[in-house]
Amino acid sequence: MTRLPLEGITVVSLEQAVAAPFATRQLADLGARVIKIERDTGDFARGYDTKVNGMSSYFVWLNRGKESVVLDLKSDDGLAVLKKLVAQADILVQNLAPGAVERLGLGPDDALELNPKLIHASISGYGRGGSHEQKKAYDLLIQCESGLLSVTGDPGSPAKVGVSIADVCAGMYAYSGILTSLLSRASTGRGDVLEISMLEALGEWMSQPYFYAEYGGAPPARSGAQHASIAPYGPFQVQDGTVFLGIQNEREWATFCAKVLNRPELAQDPRFSTNTLRVANRADLHDVINAALSSATADATLASLDAAGIANAQLRDMHGFSQHPQLSHRNRWRDVESPVGPLRSLIPPVTSRELDFRMAAVPALGEHTEKVRAELGLADKGQTPS
């Protein structure tokens, strides 16, 4: 295998749940050594469920390729080990409760005094300072605070996104920010301090509906699986199920009417001749489309849409995703070792002609504690580091 881009980089992570572990797992995939500090009961994501042969689906997803080291950070010994690790590390990542890392003596200023080349990255719900700094922040709560739930769901009720989108969003910005700081450090020789707020990270992703509402006078309507401002775009009923399709412009609309609905005259119907009119008359539009498609099968409709060059999709459940032919054709699955055996896992989505990924094992709790202590010259747990 070609040398991985982050080989030789050491990350110490005071992490739990989703956001920070997602950032550091991606660093591990690129070859970084990630030392995950856990309490004796472990990252609480280990206990979120037991669906993966007894392991948590969250933990398996987020923690491959890491070393698990158990430390009691309330003890002098545990804290001394942590500080010795940080003094030698390239990156410290933490998403502890607000103020906790400062109480450990590893806030940004103290940590960079200990190690001036350190990249110190903190992920929090709301960021330092301000009225919300101390508020607990979980994924659903940030979805609420960012306005995401105001645009997600149907007209009668909001709905959360079905994955931990606020955590994933913050983790992605932490990951990209750390890579940026590594590039900067290569030229300046100096470390950096990064702060990533879940509210601000997801807020970036909410900027389109923000602009729409701020300058348009009204917020986007919740529209279920339909697009709020484009029509037709969403699910439609066929003989044996549901088909999703999307029209992007008037040329596609005319083609759709002629080649899929077999009703070319609809393209000039005064209710539907522009996207704005189609959105305003969405109920009538859907009645017309559903009537035309109701006697066709899903397979036939998808084939007709493909032939006409109209974007479409099959509504898949997770089994359908697991068996997706495109992922198989592109060899996107690889087994990852774990304490419960090999687990079929997706390869990271960025491909490179020059580089590969390291998809190493998911660690058992404390699996690497003694190894790391020995590297630090601490074969006996009670010994104080020099």
Side-chain angles (χ1 to χ4, degrees):
M1 180 188 295
T2 305
R3 176 180 169 87
L4 295 171
L6 295 186
E7 281 187 30
I9 296 294
T10 298
V11 181
V12 175
S13 194
L14 298 166
E15 61 180 25
Q16 55 197 354
V18 175
F22 187 49
T24 58
R25 194 220 74 194
Q26 294 177 91
L27 298 172
D29 286 346
L30 291 177
R33 182 187 188 187
V34 177
I35 301 172
K36 180 184 180 77
I37 307 301
E38 300 191 69
R39 66 193 79 187
D40 58 1
T41 54
D43 178 344
F44 48 69
R46 287 184 180 271
Y48 278 172
D49 61 65
T50 57
K51 297 297 185 181
V52 185
N53 299 333
M55 290 192 74
S56 161
S57 58
Y58 281 89
F59 193 84
V60 165
W61 165 43
L62 296 165
N63 291 284
R64 66 174 178 241
K66 301 180 184 180
E67 300 177 27
S68 172
V69 172
V70 170
L71 294 177
D72 177 5
L73 298 182
K74 295 182 179 179
S75 72
D76 291 341
D77 172 75
L79 190 55
V81 173
L82 174 61
K83 288 186 175 180
K84 190 164 187 178
L85 284 171
V86 171
Q88 300 175 9
D90 296 281
I91 302 161
L92 172 64
V93 178
Q94 68 91 19
N95 68 334
L96 304 179
V101 74
E102 285 79 7
R103 290 191 291 275
L104 293 173
L106 287 172
D109 293 336
D110 290 335
L112 265 72
E113 183 175 348
L114 181 66
N115 179 355
K117 292 187 176 182
L118 184 72
I119 295 169
H120 187 292
S122 297
I123 303 173
S124 64
Y126 297 98
R128 298 178 190 273
S131 60
H132 283 50
E133 179 182 6
Q134 298 298 319
K135 283 180 70 72
K136 288 186 175 180
Y138 302 139
D139 185 86
L140 174 58
L141 308 182
I142 298 297
Q143 290 190 40
C144 291
E145 293 281 356
S146 68
L148 178 58
L149 266 68
S150 74
V151 299
T152 305
D154 59 39
S157 61
K160 71 180 290 292
V161 176
V163 296
S164 302
I165 189 169
D167 286 315
V168 169
C169 178
M172 285 300 301
Y173 282 114
Y175 168 59
S176 62
I178 288 166
L179 295 180
T180 302
S181 290
L182 283 172
L183 287 172
S184 177
R185 191 183 71 173
S187 60
T188 68
R190 297 193 301 274
D192 199 357
V193 175
L194 306 178
E195 293 187 35
I196 301 92
S197 150
M198 291 169 65
L199 177 66
E200 292 159 14
L202 191 55
E204 168 65 25
W205 290 9
M206 291 299 298
S207 289
Q208 181 275 322
Y210 153 74
F211 282 119
Y212 183 102
E214 186 79 1
Y215 296 98
R222 289 196 300 268
S223 53
Q226 300 292 336
H227 196 288
S229 55
I230 302 175
Y233 193 154
F236 294 91
Q237 297 307 305
V238 294
Q239 185 185 89
D240 55 350
T242 303
V243 166
F244 277 67
L245 61 93
I247 302 295
Q248 291 291 305
N249 52 54
E250 308 317 328
R251 176 186 55 78
E252 287 189 357
W253 168 241
T255 301
F256 176 68
C257 292
K259 295 186 176 181
V260 179
L261 302 182
N262 295 314
R263 293 192 58 186
E265 75 282 359
L266 282 174
Q268 300 305 318
D269 187 303
R271 297 170 297 171
F272 312 137
S273 58
T274 69
N275 180 65
T276 300
L277 290 169
R278 291 192 295 275
V279 171
N281 295 289
R282 196 191 297 267
D284 289 347
L285 175 71
H286 285 201
D287 287 344
V288 169
I289 295 174
N290 284 326
L293 299 181
S294 61
S295 59
T297 65
D299 286 346
T301 303
L302 292 170
S304 176
L305 290 163
D306 280 337
I310 303 300
N312 64 82
Q314 179 179 337
L315 180 60
R316 296 176 183 268
D317 59 13
M318 294 317 302
H319 176 73
F321 173 73
S322 173
Q323 302 303 314
H324 201 295
Q326 183 71 359
L327 298 175
S328 296
H329 293 160
R330 284 173 47 78
N331 298 315
R332 301 308 296 176
W333 298 100
R334 186 180 298 175
D335 281 350
V336 169
E337 293 302 320
S338 81
V340 294
L343 301 171
R344 179 173 175 261
S345 305
L346 270 175
I347 295 173
V350 177
T351 61
S352 166
R353 288 186 177 183
E354 300 295 329
L355 304 172
D356 197 358
F357 292 95
R358 183 191 67 181
M359 297 176 65
V362 178
L365 178 61
E367 179 179 346
H368 304 90
T369 303
E370 293 309 314
K371 170 193 168 187
V372 170
R373 292 182 68 92
E375 290 176 0
L376 297 174
L378 303 173
D380 297 320
K381 190 171 181 180
Q383 185 177 341
T384 301
S386 58

